[in-house]
Amino acid sequence: MKYNAAIFDMDGLLLDTEHVCKNIFEQSCHALNLPFLESVYLKIIGCNSKRCEAILTQGYGSDYPSLHNEWKKRYNAVVLHQAIPTKQGVIELLDWLKSQDIPLAVATSTQRTVAETKLKLACLDQYFSVVTTGCEVTNSKPDPEIYLLAASRLNVPTDQCLAFEDSNNGIMAAVAANMIAYQIPDLVQPTQEVINLGHKICASLSDVLNDLQKND
């Protein structure tokens, strides 16, 4: 396995935010006397704001604008002011990759100002030379555009990049970008279609580190 860079998703992969976000969305639905459509909500995981809006508008119709405002208000009150815990194995993997002089990037569907704040509060910003965000691309994951942009900023060919994702949308983007992809599922388990892509699936980033060290 030859790699010269590593690119990470953020929410649900580096940070344990997906459960926080889902709970706040459900609270917002209840506050507005709207149903919590879990099957609709799970479709947005890994998507940028534009694609999220399209999916949720289809699910909630004319109620979505008020739901969006309530959700955003409640979510920002949490994630912009307190550190979200990191997922298992994050620090150990980042430290090891840095010790190998591997440049690191983030490729997140989250908007830049929110992403940078989350990384800073969690003390992860120091690890990454590049942060590529959903507001910088036209096409959301599962399109590979955000991974292609991150690789170009690192100046490393895509087939020499490790990519780490939790969501099905994200891993499809990484595989489509021709990267060495690892999936660490969070809220949503891989579908059979995703499993058939042939990438590696691990329970945690600790397991990823063990695999990389074994093949080093």
Side-chain angles (χ1 to χ4, degrees):
M1 186 189 307
K2 179 176 174 55
Y3 54 87
N4 291 306
I7 304 175
F8 291 79
D9 177 47
M10 184 181 69
D11 292 306
L13 188 280
L14 293 174
L15 302 177
D16 196 12
T17 43
E18 293 294 6
H19 289 88
V20 173
C21 191
K22 180 186 174 187
N23 289 339
I24 293 174
F25 185 88
E26 185 171 4
Q27 292 166 13
S28 301
C29 290
H30 295 329
L32 297 174
N33 293 316
L34 296 173
F36 171 53
L37 305 177
E38 184 173 22
S39 61
V40 173
Y41 179 84
L42 293 177
K43 292 178 183 178
I44 73 171
I45 294 175
C47 299
N48 67 9
S49 58
K50 185 177 179 181
R51 183 168 170 81
C52 287
E53 181 178 358
I55 292 170
L56 292 173
T57 297
Q58 185 175 23
Y60 284 90
S62 60
D63 289 321
Y64 179 63
S66 58
L67 177 56
H68 169 78
N69 291 337
E70 184 71 18
W71 181 32
K72 183 177 180 180
K73 178 184 69 176
R74 290 170 178 258
Y75 184 70
N76 287 347
V78 175
V79 301
L80 297 183
H81 300 284
Q82 63 187 59
I84 302 298
T86 57
K87 299 280 284 186
Q88 179 187 339
V90 167
I91 301 300
E92 293 82 0
L93 177 57
L94 294 177
D95 282 340
W96 184 77
L97 288 169
K98 291 292 265 188
S99 75
Q100 306 297 305
D101 295 320
I102 300 297
L104 308 178
V106 168
T108 176
S109 296
T110 300
Q111 293 182 347
R112 174 166 291 278
T113 54
V114 177
E116 289 178 341
T117 299
K118 287 180 181 178
L119 292 170
K120 185 174 182 179
L121 287 171
C123 299
L124 296 182
D125 56 317
Q126 60 186 309
Y127 289 99
F128 299 101
S129 59
V130 167
V131 176
T132 305
T133 61
C135 55
E136 298 180 279
V137 295
T138 302
N139 301 300
S140 173
K141 300 173 184 178
D143 189 276
E145 183 181 359
I146 195 168
Y147 274 103
L148 299 176
L149 179 58
S152 70
R153 288 176 173 173
L154 290 169
N155 197 29
V156 176
T158 59
D159 62 357
Q160 295 177 23
C161 292
L162 293 168
F164 304 103
E165 276 283 355
D166 64 294
S167 71
N168 290 329
N169 284 321
I171 203 67
M172 286 189 285
V175 171
N178 198 31
M179 295 187 174
I180 305 163
Y182 283 83
Q183 185 175 13
I184 303 85
D186 187 42
L187 281 183
V188 180
Q189 292 302 306
T191 63
Q192 188 58 53
E193 178 186 6
V194 169
I195 292 171
N196 291 343
L197 295 175
H199 59 289
K200 293 195 175 185
I201 302 173
C202 296
S204 71
L205 288 175
S206 297
D207 292 341
V208 171
L209 175 57
N210 290 336
D211 189 68
L212 291 175
Q213 290 175 329
K214 179 180 67 179
N215 291 291
D216 188 36

